[in-house]
Amino acid sequence: MQVQAINANPAFDTYRASFSQINLALASNLASRKDITDADKTNINQLITQAINEGKNAISLAPTRVSNWENLAAIYQALISSAQGADQLTLASYQQAITLDPLNPVLRVNLGGLFFGAKNYDAAIQQFQAAVSLKADYANAHYNLAEALKAKELWAEAVTELEQTRMLVAFDSNDYKNLNKELDELKAKLPPPVATGTTGQPETLTSPA
């Protein structure tokens, strides 16, 4: 049906992007099988090629549509573990999407995730911080920033971001419960507080006069 839609209107970029996603999903489904035959491998390669080509066709038809660049980036990102150079193509596609829509925090989180997966934590932190700056109430941006900070063992900063994340999710949600557990584990890594006042001499606390 998608092929029929493309044949009916070959200049409509959204059809091409949708078709690229279907091809990638079919390739992923075949690749997940336990016993992959030679025919399956051939089909997987053909589906991946078709996904990339249709993603590029969508961009050719509408080069300023941000979602088309985001779609191509997602295709390349799915191939990072199996195709050489896919990481750089993913990076280039996300950078082009951000150039077209610099105020989009989701693109920053996606790009940060790419850097995080490559263990480039400094670059990931930079992108997650940019997402937080663009949308202060974006819970997932704060959470991703916390994860990158944890990877750098910046425990206090990570606690701050997790606490901010907790304020932005529903109180009765599983996310809230998981954040509480994660915060308890993370706070255990913090150094003990430095005592104030003169060492060995108890302070005298008084109520306001």
Side-chain angles (χ1 to χ4, degrees):
M1 292 181 71
Q2 285 198 320
V3 171
Q4 291 175 4
I6 290 173
N7 290 336
N9 191 351
F12 191 33
D13 63 295
T14 303
Y15 291 164
R16 303 283 187 162
S18 179
F19 192 40
S20 71
Q21 294 168 9
I22 286 294
N23 278 273
L24 184 63
L26 289 171
S28 178
N29 184 56
L30 281 176
S32 67
R33 293 181 176 179
K34 292 183 178 180
D35 300 318
I36 300 178
T37 65
D38 290 338
D40 289 335
K41 293 178 181 179
T42 299
N43 288 332
I44 289 170
N45 289 331
Q46 290 176 345
L47 288 165
I48 289 174
T49 300
Q50 185 78 2
I52 294 172
N53 289 340
E54 290 301 330
K56 290 180 176 179
N57 287 338
I59 289 173
S60 297
L61 292 168
T64 60
R65 193 188 298 275
V66 176
S67 60
N68 287 338
W69 287 100
E70 189 176 5
N71 174 61
L72 186 61
I75 294 171
Y76 285 134
Q77 192 165 6
L79 303 176
I80 286 178
S81 62
S82 58
Q84 186 176 5
D87 54 343
Q88 293 303 313
L89 292 170
T90 306
L91 175 61
S93 298
Y94 274 131
Q95 286 176 332
Q96 182 60 33
I98 289 173
T99 299
L100 293 171
D101 190 6
L103 301 182
N104 188 331
V106 176
L107 293 175
R108 302 285 184 164
V109 169
N110 291 341
L111 180 55
L114 177 66
F115 287 129
F116 187 91
K119 297 185 178 181
N120 186 349
Y121 300 124
D122 289 329
I125 288 171
Q126 184 179 13
Q127 292 302 321
F128 295 144
Q129 286 176 334
V132 168
S133 297
L134 290 168
K135 185 173 173 56
D137 62 347
Y138 189 7
N140 201 45
H142 287 283
Y143 184 73
N144 279 263
L145 178 54
E147 292 299 303
L149 291 167
K150 283 167 60 179
K152 292 279 291 183
E153 298 186 358
L154 299 172
W155 311 123
E157 292 88 339
V159 166
T160 298
E161 292 303 322
L162 283 182
E163 288 176 339
Q164 183 64 37
T165 305
R166 186 173 58 179
M167 292 173 60
L168 296 170
V169 300
F171 178 77
D172 56 349
S173 66
N174 287 329
D175 282 334
Y176 191 92
K177 296 176 183 177
N178 292 334
L179 284 167
N180 280 335
K181 181 180 179 181
E182 195 169 347
L183 273 167
D184 288 340
E185 294 173 353
L186 194 56
K187 287 179 179 179
K189 298 178 181 294
L190 295 176
V194 178
T196 59
T198 306
T199 303
Q201 306 219 358
E203 297 180 356
T204 302
L205 304 178
T206 61
S207 60

